[in-house]
Amino acid sequence: MLPHDLSPWGMFMNADIVVKAVMLGLAFASVITWTVFLAKAVELWITRGRTLAALGRLSEARSLGAAAEELSRLRGPGVTLFNAVQAEFRLAGDASPDGLKERVASRLERGEAATARSMWRGTGILATIGSTAPFVGLFGTVWGIMNSFIGISKAQTTNLAVVAPGIAEALLATAIGLVAAIPAVVIYNLFARTITANRASVGDMSAAILRLVSRELDRNAAPYAKAAE
């Protein structure tokens, strides 16, 4: 008869205090992974829906005034970019069109960068868990096997019934490390692809706003050009 209960819970309860700490830390990391997954998945899904909705409205607008009216009832990064452009128009006054275009492009560029930072926020913990969890689990395994060999030395026997429980407890730490790491890596890669697609949509929104600004400035400049002739 084996001297220990070799169920996962039994092995956890009979493990060394260091191995227990490692297992609990990895279990907590796994909880963090799934919490981030749920929260970030909802956030990215909402962001993408809002961006596409704003892009559809903006594509149909013929002027900045019409676009402002269409986007007034929407939210999201696309609307934030458009509001920044409107703010620049108010600050510019009667500035030259070329200078205004440069400042609008600068605002759009910084707005895209801020949106990208916001979308990536919170995903770094997934990369950290995915890269470190296997090694943390391996540390628990090494510690547990070391204690098993010390126990073998003290018992002065190599009977498998004596050796197996300690080694099984140690290997459980590696298994929990993999359980924590694999989902973290998969979810991080999934978010990376989703964020790339969202950034492309935000870039399309920025380009649409810039085209609308260019048309607006050209329309405003046309009467002055005819008067000069």
Side-chain angles (χ1 to χ4, degrees):
M1 296 292 294
L2 294 179
H4 293 297
D5 175 15
L6 292 184
S7 67
W9 178 251
M11 288 188 289
F12 170 77
M13 294 303 297
N14 289 306
D16 182 80
I17 185 63
V18 175
V19 180
K20 281 184 180 179
V22 168
M23 292 180 184
L24 288 174
L26 292 171
F28 181 67
S30 183
V31 171
I32 292 176
T33 295
W34 291 107
T35 302
V36 170
F37 170 70
L38 293 175
K40 204 67 183 179
V42 171
E43 177 188 336
L44 293 176
W45 179 74
I46 292 175
T47 298
R48 181 161 181 80
R50 288 175 173 174
T51 303
L52 293 177
L55 182 58
R57 297 288 184 88
L58 189 65
S59 300
E60 299 174 356
R62 299 180 62 85
S63 66
L64 286 177
E69 184 177 352
E70 288 290 336
L71 298 180
S72 62
R73 296 178 294 275
L74 299 180
R75 298 172 60 188
V79 178
T80 302
L81 291 178
F82 185 80
N83 290 340
V85 170
Q86 283 190 306
E88 183 58 41
F89 265 83
R90 288 193 296 268
L91 293 173
D94 296 329
S96 65
D98 291 338
L100 182 57
K101 283 182 182 179
E102 290 180 3
R103 289 190 294 275
V104 166
S106 176
R107 280 184 178 263
L108 291 174
E109 180 183 354
R110 299 320 305 159
E112 287 184 52
T115 300
R117 288 193 299 270
S118 176
M119 287 189 288
W120 279 108
R121 190 177 299 121
T123 60
I125 189 67
L126 298 177
T128 301
I129 292 174
S131 60
T132 60
F135 297 102
V136 174
L138 183 60
F139 167 75
T141 298
V142 171
W143 187 274
I145 290 177
M146 180 180 66
N147 285 336
S148 295
F149 281 118
I150 292 174
I152 292 171
S153 176
K154 289 181 179 179
Q156 295 183 349
T157 179
T158 58
N159 188 341
L160 185 61
V162 176
V163 177
I167 295 177
E169 293 160 8
L171 291 176
L172 181 62
T174 296
I176 296 176
L178 294 176
V179 168
I182 292 173
V185 172
V186 173
I187 293 171
Y188 180 82
N189 291 334
L190 175 64
F191 282 163
R193 292 192 296 270
T194 304
I195 290 172
T196 299
N198 282 1
R199 288 185 64 182
S201 298
V202 173
D204 292 340
M205 184 76 183
S206 179
I209 293 173
L210 199 57
R211 288 193 298 269
L212 192 59
V213 167
S214 180
R215 286 195 295 267
E216 187 78 12
L217 294 176
D218 289 344
R219 278 195 294 266
N220 292 338
Y224 297 101
K226 290 182 179 178
E229 293 176 359

